Amino acid sequence: MSENTGVANDRIRVQITYALPERQDIVTVELPAGATAQQAVEASGLLQKYPDIDLAKNKLGVFAKLVKADQALRDRDRVEIYRPLIADPKEVRRQRAAEGKVLKKGGGEADAPA
């Protein structure tokens, strides 16, 4: 066993996290060394708890960096399951910018001096 982690050298301990608007679910699992991000998610039980997670659609990351499902993990990695975006951030910025231009142009007519 490794002195620092309490996990045998042929095993790794990783966290799997899934964030919802109202809460975040974090599960720690112990896996064989060389386990993949997908295997960690499957072992976490989060797929059963949240049927809306679809590994064909949801992206995975390790410490906020996108990874493929077959990415091998290291001890103490944190696998993150990302939810799909509701709106494209670029499109939202374009809409806000367009609204701002309309507001600036429509200042109305100034009253004539009395």
Side-chain angles (χ1 to χ4, degrees):
M1 280 199 186
S2 169
E3 291 179 27
N4 294 342
T5 63
V7 178
N9 290 337
D10 60 341
R11 309 279 299 165
I12 59 172
R13 186 173 292 156
V14 296
Q15 286 186 332
I16 299 84
T17 181
Y18 183 61
L20 297 166
E22 66 281 352
R23 62 176 279 162
Q24 178 174 309
D25 215 332
I26 301 172
V27 178
T28 301
V29 296
E30 191 175 307
L31 301 165
T36 65
Q38 180 170 343
Q39 290 169 330
V41 171
E42 290 169 351
S44 72
L46 291 174
L47 293 175
Q48 290 77 24
K49 189 172 182 180
Y50 300 103
D52 55 311
I53 298 174
D54 178 357
L55 292 181
K57 294 179 184 175
N58 292 76
K59 295 186 184 289
L60 300 176
V62 174
F63 293 117
K65 294 193 184 232
L66 285 177
V67 298
K68 294 187 179 191
D70 63 355
Q71 170 74 38
L73 300 174
R74 296 183 294 188
D75 192 39
R76 299 185 189 173
D77 273 349
R78 182 184 66 225
V79 178
E80 300 152 345
I81 305 168
Y82 302 124
R83 292 180 295 123
L85 294 175
I86 295 170
D88 178 17
K90 290 180 184 178
E91 185 57 35
V92 171
R93 280 194 294 276
R94 265 189 227 108
Q95 288 174 357
R96 283 191 191 139
E99 289 171 8
K101 288 177 185 175
V102 169
L103 291 175
K104 289 177 185 174
K105 286 181 184 175
E109 291 184 29
D111 291 337

